[in-house]
Amino acid sequence: MVLRGVRVVELAGLAPAPFCGMIFADFGANVVRIDRPNAPDIDRLGRGKRSIILDLKKPQGVGIVKKLCASADVLIEPYRRGVMEKMGLGPNILTKDNPRLIYARLTGYGQDGPFADMAGHDINYLSLTGLLSMLGRKEGPPTPPINLLADFAGGSLICALGISLALLERTTSGMGQIVDANMVEGTAYTGSWVYSSQDISRLWGKSRGCNLLDSGAHFYNTYETKDGRYMAVGAFEPQFYYQMITLLGLDPDLVGQMDDFDSMKKVLEDKFKEKNQKEWTEYEPRPAPYLSRTPGSVQERAAPLQMEERIAESFLTKYTKKGSDMTGKSPHNNKMEDQMVMPPPPPVFEDDFPSTHSCVFPINNTQAHVSSFSSLMK
């Protein structure tokens, strides 16, 4: 794998640092996590890592970390400003022994400024960026999207990007460096497009929950189904909207994309409540593997053949493997049935796939989604 041979030391923390370490483990790095004695077992992101329990309040534990970092490529630490320095594990000490070390600091507020010594959580970091004010339903309060944006997108992923850039730069300089990744700045950077697109009046300009992408529009929203579950609709482009409305059995002239959003929401709400989520999402997997120029396609189920016995026998003889005794058993005494040798399907090109597959998706509960997604990807 691409990171095979890269050695990472990760000091145990909550979600952001463990996910950052897991990314490196997933791509082949040798990751050793330093756990604290008697710490609760709440880390669910330890995949691919090895663990060692050390008491960093004792000189012996600190000494072992120093030895690990002396030959490591990366250190990931999740503590507030000054904590590592108090333990004698600050960057000045560790990089003196190992100038190639990439010292990654993943914190909430960074190493400078009035908030650097404060504790915080995803919702606090997100609120400081201003992005939280844009999330939520019409006439409702700002709603945090659990802890995905700041902890994982603005924290873990941005830190992993910084470490990767430092590893790349080291190939020319031979030197490590400090990566200062904090969740406030990382989340703000993730929201760059949101800030820079505020001058696009077609997208923004209205209050929270009333714009095109924040549940204000009926074609970018969620809808309850008959069984109390939900469907997610994302039919932003006119051609996708037209196909979605048509497949729902509605008249595009009466359910226009830019008609009154609240009225159109009511139409779609009523429509989606006519069926269960399963009924809305029944589909067949496309043939795999996918060929870029000549993909297969899901064909219509053939109707039962109505033919005379003599013609049927001739048909089966023509399209059955040689050697079959027509009893469904191989003449070689194995139990596998002979397979029909049928002509290959006609080529279907990329543009022929129903584009509505990208517009309407079920909203599964977490456990069901993980299970179904794992089955789908097998």
Side-chain angles (χ1 to χ4, degrees):
M1 288 187 281
V2 67
L3 294 178
R4 189 177 302 279
V6 174
R7 290 163 293 186
V8 178
V9 175
E10 173 198 324
L11 297 183
L14 296 177
F19 183 51
C20 183
M22 192 186 79
I23 293 171
F24 283 88
D26 283 346
F27 286 92
N30 181 354
V31 180
V32 176
R33 186 184 67 202
I34 309 298
D35 287 319
R36 291 172 292 177
N38 303 315
D41 181 18
I42 59 174
D43 184 6
R44 297 299 179 268
L45 298 170
R47 184 171 68 208
K49 305 174 187 177
R50 292 181 296 169
S51 172
I52 180 173
I53 297 176
L54 294 175
D55 188 348
L56 299 185
K57 294 180 180 179
K58 297 181 178 180
Q60 183 181 8
V62 172
I64 294 175
V65 173
K66 287 181 177 180
K67 289 181 180 179
L68 289 172
C69 290
S71 59
D73 297 290
V74 179
L75 169 70
I76 302 173
E77 68 95 351
Y79 303 127
R80 277 176 281 167
R81 178 177 65 179
V83 173
M84 290 291 282
E85 284 80 358
K86 288 180 181 178
M87 292 190 294
L89 295 172
N92 292 339
I93 293 175
L94 297 185
T95 57
K96 182 178 180 180
D97 295 334
N98 181 6
R100 291 175 55 83
L101 179 67
I102 294 165
Y103 193 112
R105 319 195 78 160
L106 179 50
T107 62
Y109 301 106
Q111 302 299 312
D112 304 296
F115 296 100
D117 297 323
M118 293 178 58
H121 288 286
D122 183 287
I123 191 172
N124 308 121
Y125 314 139
L126 186 58
S127 66
L128 284 180
T129 68
L131 293 172
L132 181 57
S133 69
M134 303 181 69
L135 305 176
R137 292 283 182 175
K138 179 181 179 181
E139 298 178 355
T143 305
I146 51 179
N147 65 326
L148 285 174
L149 271 181
D151 277 1
F152 296 108
S156 308
L157 289 173
I158 292 293
C159 186
L161 172 63
I163 294 170
S164 301
L165 294 173
L167 284 170
L168 178 62
E169 192 278 336
R170 195 181 67 174
T171 62
T172 57
S173 69
M175 299 293 293
Q177 57 183 303
I178 299 172
V179 176
D180 181 5
N182 72 79
M183 287 169 247
V184 174
E185 292 182 336
T187 305
Y189 187 51
T190 302
S192 295
W193 178 81
V194 176
Y195 301 126
S196 62
S197 65
Q198 290 299 304
D199 62 335
I200 304 177
S201 58
R202 292 173 296 170
L203 290 177
W204 310 110
K206 298 180 180 179
S207 58
R208 179 176 54 250
C210 298
N211 300 283
L212 294 187
L213 295 175
D214 61 1
S215 77
H218 59 289
F219 51 82
Y220 207 86
N221 207 348
T222 58
Y223 294 95
E224 186 178 3
T225 55
K226 186 178 179 180
D227 55 348
R229 305 185 75 178
Y230 290 85
M231 297 293 292
V233 171
F236 198 88
E237 295 78 5
Q239 66 272 25
F240 295 158
Y241 179 82
Y242 178 86
Q243 291 185 354
M244 179 194 73
I245 293 298
T246 302
L247 288 175
L248 287 175
L250 300 172
D251 187 343
D253 292 330
L254 299 179
V255 189
Q257 186 169 16
M258 291 302 164
D259 290 350
D260 179 69
F261 288 169
D262 289 337
S263 299
M264 296 303 99
K265 282 181 185 178
K266 184 63 170 62
V267 174
L268 293 185
E269 286 171 0
D270 294 341
K271 190 64 181 178
F272 276 105
K273 284 186 178 179
E274 292 179 3
K275 297 181 181 180
N276 294 333
Q277 187 192 72
K278 184 178 180 181
E279 295 177 277
W280 285 119
T281 57
E282 286 182 341
Y283 70 96
E284 295 186 32
R286 72 178 184 183
Y290 176 74
L291 305 182
S292 63
R293 290 191 300 104
T294 56
S297 65
V298 177
Q299 305 294 315
E300 293 292 334
R301 287 186 174 86
L305 291 172
Q306 304 293 332
M307 59 178 72
E308 297 178 7
E309 184 178 342
R310 177 179 56 82
I311 300 176
E313 184 175 341
S314 174
F315 175 84
L316 290 173
T317 301
K318 181 178 180 181
Y319 287 108
T320 306
K321 281 183 175 180
K322 273 190 174 181
S324 172
D325 61 1
M326 302 302 291
T327 63
K329 296 182 179 179
S330 166
H332 302 293
N333 295 323
N334 63 39
K335 296 182 179 180
M336 295 297 292
E337 292 188 356
D338 286 313
Q339 300 299 311
M340 299 293 288
V341 181
M342 301 299 290
V348 178
F349 298 94
E350 199 171 63
D351 291 342
D352 293 327
F353 285 103
S355 54
T356 48
H357 284 185
S358 63
C359 300
V360 183
F361 286 91
I363 301 179
N364 296 318
N365 62 53
T366 304
Q367 292 181 341
H369 174 70
V370 171
S371 175
S372 62
F373 183 77
S374 298
S375 300
L376 184 64
M377 296 304 292
K378 285 182 179 177

